[in-house]
Amino acid sequence: MDVDTFFEEMPFADLLGVEVTEVADGHAEGRIEMRPELSWSDETVMAHGGVTFTLADTVGGAALVSIVDQPVPTIDMRIDYLEAGTGDLRAEADVVRCGDDVGVVDVDVYAVDGDAHVADARGVYKTG
């Protein structure tokens, strides 16, 4: 499966503007440009938790797809929000385990400007 094609066919990630920028050998990177409609506040543009979660989930899935070459539905994801995301966000994901039935991926989300560590997550995906 072509990873680029796979992620072009994800309407929700596309709606939010999630862009997977690098995918290879169990590693993926991606980003999202913050805009007012993705904020949880009218007064200050701060990423809604669902936006941060979607970025982490999408990039985490991409890392695993680079190994298994097929869709990987999310089974579970745990995320810790460490700091408010007040600008564009980027994520880096690395596969921890790729089994016949389940894969595990660690994901870190950072602010593009200043490198603040916004969140860390661990996703579990179905591989078989």
Side-chain angles (χ1 to χ4, degrees), residues 6-7 10-20 28-35 38 47-63 72 74 77-81 89-93 105 107-109 118-123 125:
F6 176 69
F7 288 101
M10 294 183 71
F12 183 66
D14 188 47
L15 174 70
L16 292 183
V18 174
E19 179 185 1
V20 177
E29 296 181 13
R31 58 178 288 131
I32 190 166
E33 183 179 320
M34 268 306 295
R35 45 191 207 274
L38 300 181
H48 184 282
V51 172
T52 306
F53 186 95
T54 300
L55 176 63
D57 186 32
T58 303
V59 175
V72 290
T74 308
M77 179 166 267
R78 182 191 188 297
I79 190 166
D80 290 318
Y81 299 98
L89 301 176
R90 67 181 178 85
E92 299 176 5
V105 182
V107 187
D108 289 298
V109 179
V118 173
D120 62 27
R122 173 162 277 193
Y125 302 85

Side-chain angles (χ1 to χ4, degrees), residues 8-121:
E8 287 172 6
E9 297 172 358
M10 294 183 71
F12 183 66
D14 188 47
L15 174 70
L16 292 183
V18 174
E19 179 185 1
V20 177
T21 58
E22 182 180 325
V23 180
D25 303 322
H27 176 81
E29 296 181 13
R31 58 178 288 131
I32 190 166
E33 183 179 320
M34 268 306 295
R35 45 191 207 274
E37 59 269 25
L38 300 181
S39 180
W40 66 267
S41 170
D42 281 336
E43 297 174 14
T44 305
V45 177
M46 285 190 231
H48 184 282
V51 172
T52 306
F53 186 95
T54 300
L55 176 63
D57 186 32
T58 303
V59 175
L64 199 51
V65 167
S66 74
I67 295 175
V68 300
D69 198 34
Q70 67 182 21
V72 290
T74 308
I75 295 171
D76 185 51
M77 179 166 267
R78 182 191 188 297
I79 190 166
D80 290 318
Y81 299 98
L82 307 172
E83 191 167 325
T86 57
D88 296 350
L89 301 176
R90 67 181 178 85
E92 299 176 5
D94 290 293
V95 173
V96 174
R97 178 184 187 279
C98 182
D100 291 338
D101 294 318
V102 174
V104 179
V105 182
D106 283 342
V107 187
D108 289 298
V109 179
Y110 300 96
V112 170
D113 295 330
D115 283 338
H117 195 181
V118 173
D120 62 27

